[in-house]
Amino acid sequence: MKQQTLNILLLVLLSFQLTYANSINDAIRKATQKQESSPDSCIDLSQKILTQLTDEQVKEKAQVYWNLAQGYLYKHQYHTALFYGLKGEELLKNDNESFIYQDIMATLGWVYYDIGNPAQAIPYHRKALEAAQRRNDFESEIRYTNALGLDASAAKLFDKGLNYFMKAKFLIEQSGKPHLRLQSMLDNNIGMIYIEYENWDKAEASLRNSIKNSTGKATSLLESYALLAQVTLNKKQLEETKKLLDLCEELSHKTTYSFSLLEYYKVRIDYEELIGHYKEAYLFQKKYLTLHNKVDNEGVQEVMNYLLNVQEQKLAQDQLLIEQAKTIEGKRYQLAVVGVLLMILIVGIFYYVFRSRAEREVLKQELLQKELAAKQKEKEELNNELAFKNEKLETLALNLNQRNELIDALSEQIKENSSKEVREGWNNFMNVIQQSHKTHEISDKVVQSFRYRLQEKFPSLTEKDQQLVMDIRNNLSSKEIADKYHVAVKSVEMSRYRLRKKLNIEKGTHLKDFIMEI
């Protein structure tokens, strides 16, 4: 019993640990899904998860740091994004092949790219690319080759950027699969390079291919339509530009991605000024300036250096909060263990209770079997008694036959030898016997007629039910019926009760009265 209890306890604790691990991983996945759509929710959820992790959960911590870095990156709080990205890099310094290492390197590259420091972005994007190549992650290899192209373009190295984009397109062609989403991304960026070259025809062709292969995501479509509008505007195709800008306006309400919106506002200002709609141009210029001030990167690099110097203080504060949260979590774990032990105790109590009930059921079954055996024995005795009575009936029938033969012989002798008085007396005796036979015949017919009516009116009655009806009709009491069939009076009473149910007799009507009226 002790071993069973120990096994149950181990299973419950193991189940508890698995549930805990699954809940942590589910929470991390949920935070990842909210990076772009709701960065504040991503950050809040990630901070909560961080307080529940131990130092041994390196992979989970790295994923949380990446979610925090991404959340702050989408909020354009680059110093905090960089802080968490560097913490993730430090955590994975001995692991340069995992998927999360690849993601953290890419995020650090995008932080430097967004603050206008492509020289710092390139090493991190190259590390991400090398990790993808080691893992044979084809799609990631394309994305980070594209990222290096963007880094080169931001550094005004347009030829180098175009070479990266073309290399990525070549890799897609070599794969033999369309990869439309990646094709769309690369064509969009190639279009940007041709805009810088002022090669409007090639820019338009690339951008239209990008839109054609797009998966329909508002962020990427908005940027492609805005760049294409810039091309058609420079080609003086004002009607086409107006159509494209109307599409941009619809898409601008479906995304919050700042850089796509800035691209749209910039070309919209140029268009409104060109056609003389200065009021509209002013409104879009106001939107552009508001958003530009939000993501303005001027002086960020200088501020970053200062912020990195004070990160240790923030790290110490975070560590203190984590330790406090771990203490609280430890107490929760202790409470959970106590709860599990209580549950095991309750299960043990229920086990003993149900075990006692089961033993009682077994005993009950044994008693029922004994009772069934006794009933079987009683049935055998009744069958033996019935066989004895059948034998007596046969003997009686034989005696009656002999009596009839004797009467016939006496009748012949009396007719031949006796006086007139004796013959008259004998004739009267024979008349009485014949009358008795007729009475029995009439009685049998009446009984048969009653049985027929009974079966017609109540076809569901069994032979046993019909016999009980006949006994009640013949004025036999329950005791007399019980003696007749060698059963208990209580059994006869129960049979009478069931018979009332079958005959649908209303309450207050006597059973015998009902039977006599059938």
Side-chain angles (χ1 to χ4, degrees):
M1 181 61 194
K2 290 182 179 179
Q3 185 62 38
Q4 288 179 346
T5 304
L6 182 59
N7 290 338
I8 292 171
L9 176 59
L10 290 173
L11 286 173
V12 171
L13 290 176
L14 180 59
S15 176
F16 177 80
Q17 289 177 348
L18 288 174
T19 302
Y20 172 78
N22 289 334
S23 66
I24 289 292
N25 290 329
D26 289 341
I28 291 173
R29 282 193 291 271
K30 187 176 180 181
T32 302
Q33 293 168 359
K34 292 179 177 292
Q35 285 179 1
E36 181 180 356
S37 61
S38 180
D40 287 325
S41 298
C42 171
I43 291 167
D44 291 340
L45 183 55
S46 297
Q47 291 286 11
K48 290 178 182 177
I49 298 169
L50 198 58
T51 63
Q52 301 175 30
L53 297 176
T54 64
D55 292 337
E56 290 74 24
Q57 294 174 290
V58 175
K59 183 181 176 182
E60 288 79 4
K61 264 193 174 182
Q63 289 175 319
V64 173
Y65 286 146
W66 176 62
N67 280 334
L68 287 167
Q70 284 287 106
Y72 282 112
L73 179 59
Y74 279 112
K75 285 171 65 67
H76 309 296
Q77 296 180 14
Y78 301 110
H79 57 285
T80 311
L82 184 61
F83 167 71
Y84 282 112
L86 292 173
K87 282 177 68 69
E89 181 186 19
E90 176 65 20
L91 203 61
L92 298 174
K93 59 185 177 182
N94 296 322
D95 178 11
N96 61 357
E97 292 187 358
S98 64
F99 189 85
I100 188 60
Y101 169 83
Q102 174 184 299
D103 284 339
I104 289 175
M105 294 302 102
T107 297
L108 286 169
W110 291 124
V111 171
Y112 283 114
Y113 175 88
D114 283 358
I115 66 175
N117 192 340
Q120 289 279 15
I122 289 171
Y124 284 108
H125 281 150
R126 185 168 285 119
K127 288 180 181 179
L129 174 60
E130 290 168 355
Q133 289 171 337
R134 283 193 295 270
R135 297 176 59 256
N136 294 319
D137 186 347
F138 175 79
E139 287 196 13
S140 295
E141 184 179 356
I142 299 299
R143 283 203 305 272
Y144 300 133
T145 302
N146 173 74
L148 287 169
L150 290 173
D151 294 338
S153 300
K156 305 300 180 182
L157 304 172
F158 299 116
D159 289 341
K160 190 174 183 180
L162 186 60
N163 286 336
Y164 276 120
F165 298 142
M166 290 301 184
K167 179 182 178 182
K169 288 196 65 138
F170 176 76
L171 290 173
I172 291 176
E173 291 173 3
Q174 290 294 313
S175 72
K177 295 181 180 179
H179 295 287
L180 297 180
R181 181 174 57 83
L182 297 175
Q183 287 272 20
S184 177
M185 174 184 69
L186 291 168
D187 285 328
N188 180 81
N189 295 337
I190 290 170
M192 285 197 299
I193 296 292
Y194 285 129
I195 287 173
E196 293 294 336
Y197 289 156
E198 296 187 358
N199 189 335
W200 309 118
D201 291 334
K202 285 189 175 181
E204 182 177 1
S206 294
L207 291 168
R208 289 196 182 279
N209 281 335
S210 175
I211 293 168
K212 177 183 176 182
N213 294 326
S214 174
T215 57
K217 189 176 180 181
T219 299
S220 56
L221 270 178
L222 177 58
E223 184 177 12
S224 296
Y225 277 124
L227 291 171
L228 185 57
Q230 184 179 344
V231 171
T232 57
L233 184 61
N234 280 281
K235 294 174 73 172
K236 307 302 180 184
Q237 299 173 358
L238 298 183
E239 289 186 7
E240 181 65 18
T241 303
K242 179 65 169 62
K243 292 178 182 178
L244 293 170
L245 291 175
D246 288 343
L247 290 171
C248 288
E249 181 60 22
E250 292 179 15
L251 292 169
S252 69
H253 298 292
K254 299 178 181 179
T255 182
T256 58
Y257 188 61
S258 304
F259 296 104
S260 295
L261 290 169
L262 285 173
E263 202 69 49
Y264 163 54
Y265 294 154
K266 186 167 60 175
V267 68
R268 189 64 185 252
I269 292 166
D270 293 338
Y271 170 80
E272 298 296 347
E273 286 179 346
L274 182 64
I275 64 175
H277 292 171
Y278 298 109
K279 184 177 179 180
E280 291 292 327
Y282 169 77
L283 292 174
F284 278 101
Q285 189 175 39
K286 188 176 179 181
K287 289 182 180 180
Y288 177 87
L289 291 173
T290 300
L291 188 56
H292 185 270
N293 290 334
K294 180 181 176 182
V295 298
D296 184 16
N297 299 319
E298 291 182 7
V300 169
Q301 189 66 35
E302 291 77 8
V303 175
M304 192 80 69
N305 293 329
Y306 166 76
L307 290 171
L308 287 174
N309 291 330
V310 298
Q311 287 304 328
E312 290 301 324
Q313 296 178 9
K314 182 173 177 60
L315 177 61
Q317 293 175 356
D318 287 349
Q319 193 64 34
L320 179 61
L321 290 173
I322 290 171
E323 291 299 329
Q324 291 174 349
K326 284 181 179 178
T327 302
I328 295 172
E329 189 63 27
K331 291 181 179 179
R332 287 180 180 172
Y333 183 79
Q334 291 174 357
L335 288 174
V337 171
V338 172
V340 170
L341 292 175
L342 285 174
M343 184 176 68
I344 291 172
L345 179 62
I346 293 170
V347 169
I349 292 172
F350 275 105
Y351 170 77
Y352 282 115
V353 170
F354 284 114
R355 181 179 175 182
S356 299
R357 289 185 179 179
E359 289 175 351
R360 287 199 296 271
E361 286 295 325
V362 170
L363 182 60
K364 184 177 179 181
Q365 290 295 328
E366 290 177 354
L367 292 174
L368 287 173
Q369 289 177 356
K370 289 180 180 179
E371 185 177 350
L372 184 63
K375 292 284 185 182
Q376 186 66 28
K377 184 178 180 181
E378 183 180 354
K379 181 179 178 182
E380 291 175 357
E381 292 176 352
L382 289 174
N383 287 335
N384 293 334
E385 185 176 349
L386 180 62
F388 175 73
K389 288 189 174 182
N390 286 335
E391 186 178 349
K392 288 181 67 176
L393 285 174
E394 291 175 359
T395 303
L396 180 61
L398 180 62
N399 292 336
L400 287 174
N401 187 46
Q402 292 175 350
R403 185 201 67 178
N404 290 335
E405 291 177 354
L406 179 61
I407 289 173
D408 289 341
L410 287 172
S411 176
E412 290 297 325
Q413 291 179 5
I414 289 171
K415 285 180 180 179
E416 293 176 359
N417 303 320
S418 299
S419 63
K420 181 178 179 182
E421 290 82 1
V422 171
R423 286 197 298 275
E424 287 179 356
W426 178 257
N427 289 334
N428 290 334
F429 172 72
M430 291 301 295
N431 287 335
V432 169
I433 290 175
Q434 290 175 359
Q435 187 64 35
S436 175
H437 285 320
K438 289 181 181 180
T439 301
H440 282 299
E441 289 176 0
I442 293 170
S443 177
D444 289 341
K445 289 181 180 179
V446 171
V447 169
Q448 289 177 0
S449 174
F450 177 78
R451 278 185 175 274
Y452 176 77
R453 293 197 307 276
L454 185 65
Q455 289 173 352
E456 282 290 315
K457 204 168 184 179
F458 305 101
S460 63
L461 294 181
T462 65
E463 184 65 31
K464 186 177 179 181
D465 294 332
Q466 294 178 18
Q467 188 57 51
L468 180 59
V469 170
M470 296 304 300
D471 290 336
I472 295 171
R473 188 171 182 272
N474 291 333
N475 292 324
L476 293 181
S477 66
S478 295
K479 187 176 183 309
E480 290 171 334
I481 295 171
D483 292 340
K484 180 179 178 182
Y485 297 107
H486 303 282
V487 296
V489 175
K490 189 174 182 181
S491 297
V492 176
E493 293 295 334
M494 183 58 67
S495 298
R496 292 173 69 108
Y497 173 77
R498 286 195 290 266
L499 182 62
R500 288 182 65 92
K501 290 287 186 182
K502 291 183 179 180
L503 296 176
N504 296 322
I505 300 175
E506 295 180 356
K507 191 174 181 180
T509 303
H510 290 291
L511 179 59
K512 182 180 176 182
D513 294 342
F514 182 86
I515 291 171
M516 297 305 293
E517 292 179 1
I518 294 176

